[in-house]
Amino acid sequence: MRAKQYILLVKSNSKIKFFLLLFLCIISLYAPAQNFQSDCNAATKRHEDTVKVNLLINLYNNYYTQQDDSLQAGLKYILDAYYIAVKLKYKKGIIDASYRLATSVLGYKNMAKATDFYFISLKNSEEAGNKLMEGNALMGLGLVFYNQKKWHEALEYFDKATAVFRENMEEQRLAVVTYLEGLCYNELHDYKMAQGKLEGALSLMQQRGDSARIQECRLGLAKVDYGLMNYDAALEKYELTEKYYEAHKESVALAIIHQGRADVLLAQNHEERALEESFKAYVIAKSSSYNTNLQEITALLYTIYARMGNKAMAYQYLLENSHIKDSLNYLDISEKISIARSNYTFEKKEQKYNEEIDKNNRRKNLAIFSAGFLAVFMLVIIIAYQTLKKERRKSEDLLLNILPKETKDELKKYGKVIPRKHASATIMFCDVQGFTSISST
């Protein structure tokens, strides 16, 4: 009865209803914060051991990988996890923490650091036989080279990752890396290969019902259609994906769509419409923190203005394009990446060399031990033989004192004495007086 009265009171009193809803909102916001604080205390206050490493990694995974703006705050936890794991020589912790560090710094465009950590994760994954993380590290290294626009090097690592994922039936990751291979072939203008890869990735993603990845594949296939001069099909795909990304407010994808549409329109000699689409892409790219495709957009704007005969505007975008190239400083980063890759290769060779040395040392030690054992064994045999020979001589001398030589020889040879018949024999019994005293001296 009281419960019914309470419900009626809430329904009739709008102020009570408002404060009740406000209270529920505060509780819902407070609960995750409370969980975070609890998890944070559990991780940070624990003494340095493997459990702490796992707690720090879980803390980072649960609270710091959802939003880009929170990654910087979470780096301290994953760094702590990495250094504690290294100190403890905890393989799993090193693999997981270094991979997450690599992915984080890749998001901040620190290619050199990302490469270092990916190679650390790769090396330790190979040593531990952790195929899943080995494939992830290979795919990460491919992304580093992809961001550097080094398509052949990117494909090298994507292909290795594909082999690992296919062998271990990791379909979700296989779909992603196949999609990335398709993008590389697009950039290399090998549109037939790109089409095969992207359609394969699309099929895998449709099986999983991954709507976001499906749209990404369609974007890639739109570029394939552009490359194969199927312009109407390309524009149709751009229109379909644009609706999806507008609904999800994905600015980066929208910039790519406007840029792709501008390429198609320019190929169809619609300069005015191409300029309109290019400028939309330019505005989005300039306002976004992710402005990697700004270099391509400024190059496109330069081409359009040059074809339209507007030299002043063409020069303006050519100059901006040049500044973007300088700021990206691909050469310097490429050298650092090459050093990291060389260090990894050297460490692999050094490890193999050390293993070979260890194997040879084991063989050498085994040979020395065998020779020593054989020498000791032979020495024991010689000593035993000499001792046996000496004892045999003693027994023979004793027999000679008791028996005639002929009888002794027969005993040695046959183990018995051959009986002999004597036709006539005399037996004499006698006693020697004082024999006891005589024999004692």
Side-chain angles (χ1 to χ4, degrees):
M1 188 67 185
R2 285 182 181 178
K4 287 182 180 179
Q5 288 173 345
Y6 176 73
I7 292 167
L8 288 169
L9 180 65
V10 170
K11 284 183 178 179
S12 61
N13 195 324
S14 60
K15 286 185 179 180
I16 292 174
K17 191 175 181 180
F18 170 76
F19 284 115
L20 181 60
L21 289 170
L22 182 62
F23 174 74
L24 290 172
C25 289
I26 292 168
I27 289 295
S28 66
L29 290 170
Y30 177 70
Q34 194 175 33
N35 289 340
F36 166 75
Q37 197 57 51
S38 174
D39 291 349
C40 186
N41 290 338
T44 54
K45 290 182 179 179
R46 188 178 175 85
H47 60 276
E48 292 186 353
D49 60 4
T50 57
V51 174
K52 178 165 185 167
V53 173
N54 293 328
L55 286 171
L56 288 166
I57 292 171
N58 289 335
L59 186 70
Y60 178 80
N61 289 344
N62 294 334
Y63 300 103
Y64 290 104
T65 56
Q66 306 305 317
Q67 301 173 8
D68 290 339
D69 57 357
S70 73
L71 286 176
Q72 189 69 41
L75 273 176
K76 62 180 179 181
Y77 297 111
I78 202 68
L79 274 169
D80 282 349
Y82 173 72
Y83 287 119
I84 294 168
V86 170
K87 182 180 175 181
L88 297 172
K89 297 181 180 178
Y90 175 37
K91 212 66 152 175
K92 183 180 180 299
I94 294 170
I95 293 166
D96 291 347
S98 59
Y99 174 76
R100 282 158 179 78
L101 277 169
T103 305
S104 295
V105 297
L106 181 64
Y108 290 109
K109 301 293 180 284
N110 191 335
M111 304 300 171
K113 274 291 180 188
T115 306
D116 285 338
F117 284 121
Y118 276 133
F119 273 127
I120 290 167
S121 185
L122 176 61
K123 178 176 177 289
N124 284 276
S125 296
E126 288 174 341
E127 290 172 0
N130 188 333
K131 289 295 182 181
L132 173 60
M133 291 306 293
E134 181 184 334
N136 285 341
L138 287 166
M139 185 163 64
L141 286 164
L143 282 169
V144 171
F145 286 102
Y146 183 88
N147 275 279
Q148 290 295 295
K149 304 185 185 301
K150 294 185 176 297
W151 316 119
H152 290 290
E153 289 91 336
L155 276 170
E156 178 189 341
Y157 284 100
F158 288 149
D159 287 345
K160 288 177 182 178
T162 298
V164 173
F165 292 143
R166 184 174 286 121
E167 183 185 345
N168 293 274
M169 294 182 288
E170 290 286 344
E171 287 191 4
Q172 184 178 1
R173 288 171 174 80
L174 182 60
V176 174
V177 78
T178 305
Y179 159 73
L180 291 169
E181 286 179 307
L183 296 187
C184 286
Y185 283 115
N186 256 344
E187 298 297 339
L188 291 167
H189 306 297
D190 189 344
Y191 296 111
K192 286 294 183 184
M193 278 294 291
Q195 187 174 32
K197 292 288 183 180
L198 289 166
E199 285 178 350
L202 179 61
S203 176
L204 288 169
M205 288 163 183
Q206 285 173 333
Q207 289 171 24
R208 298 186 61 83
D210 190 341
S211 57
R213 296 291 185 187
I214 288 169
Q215 299 304 323
E216 288 174 7
C217 282
R218 284 176 178 161
L219 266 183
L221 286 167
K223 190 163 185 176
V224 168
D225 286 331
Y226 163 72
L228 296 174
M229 294 186 289
N230 300 324
Y231 299 132
D232 290 339
L235 289 172
E236 185 181 342
K237 286 185 177 69
Y238 282 131
E239 186 177 351
L240 286 170
T241 53
E242 185 178 24
K243 290 176 183 176
Y244 175 86
Y245 288 119
E246 279 179 345
H248 289 79
K249 297 180 180 178
E250 295 269 358
S251 60
V252 175
L254 289 170
I256 292 169
I257 289 167
H258 289 303
Q259 179 191 343
R261 193 180 280 145
D263 283 327
V264 174
L265 292 167
L266 187 63
Q268 294 177 314
N269 298 316
H270 301 310
E271 285 90 355
E272 291 289 345
R273 289 173 63 195
L275 180 62
E276 183 183 342
E277 292 293 332
S278 298
F279 197 70
K280 286 178 182 177
Y282 179 78
V283 170
I284 295 171
K286 287 287 278 187
S287 62
S288 172
S289 58
Y290 186 91
N291 57 6
T292 303
N293 58 333
L294 194 58
Q295 184 185 354
E296 289 81 4
I297 295 167
T298 50
L300 181 59
L301 282 164
Y302 160 75
T303 304
I304 295 169
Y305 276 118
R307 278 178 58 168
M308 294 174 73
N310 191 333
K311 294 181 180 179
M313 291 301 292
Y315 177 73
Q316 178 184 321
Y317 285 108
L318 180 63
L319 196 63
E320 185 174 352
N321 182 266
S322 178
H323 289 156
I324 292 167
K325 282 183 181 178
D326 292 340
S327 66
L328 290 172
N329 197 8
Y330 288 127
L331 180 60
D332 180 53
I333 294 171
S334 297
E335 286 175 354
K336 289 177 181 176
I337 291 170
S338 297
I339 290 167
R341 184 161 53 172
S342 299
N343 287 339
Y344 165 75
T345 307
F346 174 76
E347 285 173 5
K348 289 275 287 182
K349 287 181 179 177
E350 185 181 36
Q351 184 183 0
K352 192 174 180 181
Y353 176 70
N354 289 335
E355 285 173 359
E356 196 63 37
I357 289 175
D358 289 341
K359 193 185 292 182
N360 290 336
N361 286 339
R362 283 196 296 273
R363 286 175 184 165
K364 186 178 177 182
N365 292 336
L366 182 62
I368 292 169
F369 174 77
S370 300
F373 178 78
L374 186 61
V376 171
F377 182 70
M378 291 300 294
L379 184 62
V380 169
I381 289 174
I382 291 167
I383 292 170
Y385 175 74
Q386 291 296 333
T387 303
L388 183 62
K389 191 175 178 183
K390 188 177 178 182
E391 292 300 320
R392 187 179 293 167
R393 194 179 296 115
K394 281 183 182 180
S395 64
E396 286 180 3
D397 290 344
L398 182 60
L399 286 171
L400 280 172
N401 286 334
I402 300 169
L403 302 170
K405 185 177 183 304
E406 185 182 351
T407 304
K408 182 208 70 159
D409 291 341
E410 285 181 4
L411 280 171
K412 280 182 66 179
K413 189 173 181 180
Y414 304 111
K416 62 182 181 178
V417 178
I418 300 170
R420 288 177 175 77
K421 183 179 179 182
H422 295 278
S424 176
T426 302
I427 300 172
M428 181 181 74
F429 295 90
C430 65
D431 186 18
V432 180
Q433 187 178 358
F435 179 78
T436 303
S437 60
I438 292 167
S439 64
S440 65
T441 59

